[in-house]
Amino acid sequence: MEAIKNRYEFVILFDVENGNPNGDPDAGNMPRVDPETGYGIVTDVCLKRKIRNYVEVVKEDEPGYRIYIKDGFPLNRSDNEACEYVGVNPNKLKEEKKKDSDLDRKLRDFMCRNFYDIRTFGAVMTTFVKGALNCGQVRGPVQLGFARSIDPVYPRVVTVTRIAITTEADAVEKDTEFGQKYIIPYGLYRAEGYVSANLARKTTGFSETDLELLWEAILNMFEHDHSAARGKMAVRKLIIFKHDTELGNAPAYKLFEAVKITRKDGIDLARSFADYEVEIGEIPEGVRCVCRG
């Protein structure tokens, strides 16, 4: 399939209600918060994991849409497939490269053709034996930044009781145990992303079909990933800026600054998406704006 021809930027608006959107292991798995401002944070790694999970669910390892980075699947196993395909010994790649100076590209192209997340986000595929050649590094055309909440968030610690007793000794003395859940009562988050048509053409072959799947995955990334810990999460709006050219017609920051999210008049503490207004200002010439969701 032919690579995309237009550059894109996009803004994702998603919210959480009574849940933990992204636990911080450095803070006992409390919701991530910027300690200086109180704004909530969700990492790019977390968001890309949701996109990968959605693609894996809807495609179910369909050829060309496998997922490279996934739970319970060693990376070496996929890397070895690339070596087998091009007919080289993964334990003797240094020697193989001396025979074929184009080996790096062949390995990279195999990985890009077969794995959607490599074609999209890129990957660092340096998992072969120490000192040997690897499948290389791929810089993906789709990049995401951290998501940040529109307003400061106020994490809560909720104490819960359970009837499941941990040990026999505890069962003699008590009928219940206490536990804790960490939640944010409500938070609206904004994430910004980029799609480079130039990298798609030169490196991974990210196509229009791949792009449509990306938009679909973003809009539905929480729909098959519900859990009690995360509460109610949903993508509320996806704002897409499409440039007329491969290299773009306006700086990304101008497009992001055109998207303004504010609380409605009279709302001091937002508790739902309906408490906010989303406005899109003037768009530079050569760029079109599409809203989904």
Side-chain angles (χ1 to χ4, degrees), residues 138-286:
V138 176
R139 185 181 173 195
V142 180
Q143 300 297 328
L144 276 166
F146 280 22
R148 195 185 80 164
S149 62
I150 302 302
D151 290 312
V153 296
Y154 303 96
R156 300 282 191 271
V157 180
V158 179
T159 301
V160 296
T161 58
R162 65 178 187 177
I163 62 172
I165 306 303
T166 304
T167 67
E168 291 288 348
D170 288 341
V172 175
E173 300 178 2
K174 56 187 177 181
D175 296 323
T176 60
E177 287 188 345
F178 291 101
Q180 291 182 327
K181 292 184 70 172
Y182 305 114
I183 68 166
I184 291 173
Y186 182 79
L188 177 64
Y189 289 75
R190 169 179 175 152
E192 298 170 349
Y194 314 81
V195 183
S196 168
N198 187 255
L199 281 175
R201 175 176 60 83
K202 289 181 176 179
T203 307
T204 73
F206 185 77
S207 67
E208 292 290 344
T209 302
D210 293 332
L211 183 67
E212 281 305 311
L213 180 57
L214 174 68
W215 302 145
E216 178 187 328
I218 289 173
L219 287 167
N220 295 283
M221 62 182 172
F222 301 118
E223 295 305 309
H224 303 288
D225 194 55
H226 294 295
S227 75
R230 280 187 283 276
K232 187 169 77 174
M233 295 188 67
V235 173
R236 295 293 186 164
K237 197 171 287 292
L238 172 60
I239 302 167
I240 303 167
F241 296 102
K242 180 179 180 180
H243 297 254
D244 288 345
T245 61
E246 178 183 288
L247 297 180
N249 300 80
Y253 78 87
K254 287 190 176 181
L255 303 177
F256 293 144
E257 287 179 353
V259 180
K260 296 183 176 8
I261 299 99
T262 55
R263 290 193 305 275
K264 292 180 178 178
D265 291 342
I267 303 295
D268 295 323
L269 184 62
R271 280 294 180 262
S272 73
F273 183 66
D275 292 336
Y276 288 96
E277 287 184 345
V278 179
E279 296 179 326
I280 302 174
E282 185 177 350
I283 306 301
E285 187 176 348

